Amino acid sequence: MINLDRDKLARLGELLDGGPLDIVLVGHTNPDGDAVGSMLAWGAALESRGHRVSHVVPNGFPSFLAWLDRGQKILVFKNRPDEVEAKVKEAGAIFFMDFNKIDRLEALSNVLGANTEAPKILIDHHLDPPMIFDVAFSHPEASSTSYIVFGIICELYGEQAITRPVAEAIYVGMMTDTGNFSFGNLTPGLYRALATLAERKIDVPKLHHNVYNSYSGDRMRLLGYVLGEKMKFVDERRVAYITLSESELKQYDFQVGDTEGFVNYPLTIKGMRMSAMFVENSRFIRVSLRSYGEVDVNQFARRYFEGGGHKNAAGGKSFVTMEQTVERFLSCIEEFFSR
């Protein structure tokens, strides 16, 4: 299991044992399986202790994760800003789940900043958190935030607190953030945690099917277009990149989450070291980066695209045109690999 700081656990336990609280759990913009899974699992554990929990994300999450939110607990700030603002104002504690920089929340960050009294607790596995939290469970060595949540629940409340719904949410978070258990940080402790989840009789094939086999026909056609027409190579650097304009997405009736995982496909090509994907929206171009081995895309994202993440999975943003973004990327690739 993840090595959690005993003093921080004691401080968190003292906060949570002081009586029922109104608690807000916040996930990042474009929430993924780990953000949704860790929020729902931690929320369920808190509710079982008598706390009143609100789950908040800045914008919508993909349809292939909607089944996980059976009780429709998650509030989307973009759709219900007044309700979210009221919840934040009433909060006795605010948890930041699966991100460590408040600017990842976009407009929601202003609402959170207005509540200066509630303790702010971080549960996250991304690198280099700013020191703005009252308690921070920051573990970049963990493969997912859901794995950290598993450890916190077990330490505070015992393994018996891992009910089947909690186990399902944690498993989805672990599965999606490790590429179905194919990325790094796959430790013995992680597999021991998975054994505990399996003991709750979760239906692993069904969970996998719900996440990975629930896409639309338009999404499949978009993937074919990306692989056949949009994937380009920088052969001498063993780098691939994909561009998708807003108009191209509209041609395939794009829905939130449809491009999830596309950036990973070029890394299945023998010898490929790095993959990038640039997806345009009305405000900026979202940059997704993946790598294999020692290529550190976290450093690449921080240096060139105002972003960050993990060593082999990171992201950022570009505020110029697609043509200018690609031109900059190609220049940065040369500089980065020439060091």
Side-chain angles (χ1 to χ4, degrees), residues 107-183:
L108 179 56
S109 62
N110 297 325
V111 174
L112 287 170
N115 186 334
T116 58
E117 300 299 322
K120 295 176 175 59
I121 301 99
L122 174 72
I123 305 179
D124 180 56
H125 70 134
H126 295 87
L127 295 165
D128 303 325
M131 301 301 292
I132 62 170
F133 301 98
D134 296 285
V135 182
F137 295 95
S138 175
H139 291 274
E141 75 279 11
S143 56
S144 66
T145 296
S146 294
Y147 180 37
I148 304 171
V149 166
F150 173 86
I152 293 174
I153 293 173
C154 290
E155 291 289 352
L156 289 182
Y157 307 129
E159 281 192 9
Q160 66 271 15
I162 306 292
T163 62
R164 183 171 177 174
V166 168
E168 288 178 342
I170 289 174
Y171 185 87
V172 168
M174 290 178 173
M175 175 179 69
T176 54
D177 237 37
T178 59
N180 202 21
F181 305 102
S182 63
F183 298 160

Side-chain angles (χ1 to χ4, degrees), residues 227-274:
L227 297 179
E229 304 293 335
K230 302 297 294 185
M231 185 169 56
K232 310 297 181 186
F233 300 99
V234 185
D235 291 326
E236 64 274 17
R237 297 300 184 189
R238 289 184 286 160
V239 171
Y241 65 95
I242 295 163
T243 63
L244 279 170
S245 69
E246 201 170 11
S247 62
E248 287 174 313
L249 293 174
K250 287 178 180 177
Q251 290 176 30
Y252 291 90
D253 193 25
F254 174 76
Q255 304 297 314
V256 173
D258 276 356
T259 58
E260 187 80 20
F262 283 11
V263 68
N264 296 317
Y265 279 90
L267 290 181
T268 65
I269 299 171
K270 185 177 180 179
M272 198 62 58
R273 295 192 294 176
M274 178 177 170

Side-chain angles (χ1 to χ4, degrees), residues 12-32:
L12 178 60
E14 184 178 353
L15 171 66
L16 297 176
D17 290 341
L21 291 171
D22 290 303
I23 295 174
V24 173
L25 310 182
V26 184
H28 55 73
T29 301
N30 298 326
D32 56 10

